[in-house]
Amino acid sequence: MNHPATALPGTMQALIALGRTATRAGLSRTLMELVNLRASQINGWGGCVDMHGEALREAGESDERIFAVGAWRRRRPRP
């Protein structure tokens, strides 16, 4: 399957705009990379997993913290 960001017209531009909006709202670059890493893991996009992991290492994140992203789960609403 082609990656949706490259297969659907306008998708990459929308993702870039979303990132800019989050940055303007004050989210840290590290948090953005952690979220991008998890999204890439979920999507199974190995190239992006590698890229975001490397960006996090360059930002000073420990391997333990980077590896822990794989265990993130959606919070289930309470009944």
Side-chain angles (χ1 to χ4, degrees):
M1 176 178 137
N2 290 333
H3 192 283
T6 60
L8 301 172
T11 304
M12 185 57 77
Q13 293 82 357
L15 289 172
I16 291 168
L18 177 61
R20 286 184 184 142
T21 299
T23 300
R24 276 186 291 227
L27 296 180
S28 72
R29 187 73 207 144
T30 300
L31 177 59
M32 294 290 296
E33 287 297 337
L34 288 165
V35 170
N36 287 335
L37 173 59
R38 184 60 182 139
S40 297
Q41 290 171 338
I42 291 168
N43 291 332
W45 200 248
C48 289
V49 168
D50 184 59
M51 176 182 66
H52 296 301
E54 185 59 32
L56 286 161
R57 279 187 207 89
E58 289 174 5
E61 288 295 330
S62 68
D63 284 340
E64 290 82 7
R65 185 165 155 103
I66 294 168
F67 298 154
V69 171
W72 285 4
R73 296 286 186 261
R74 179 179 70 88
R75 183 176 176 197
R76 292 188 175 98
R78 292 186 176 149

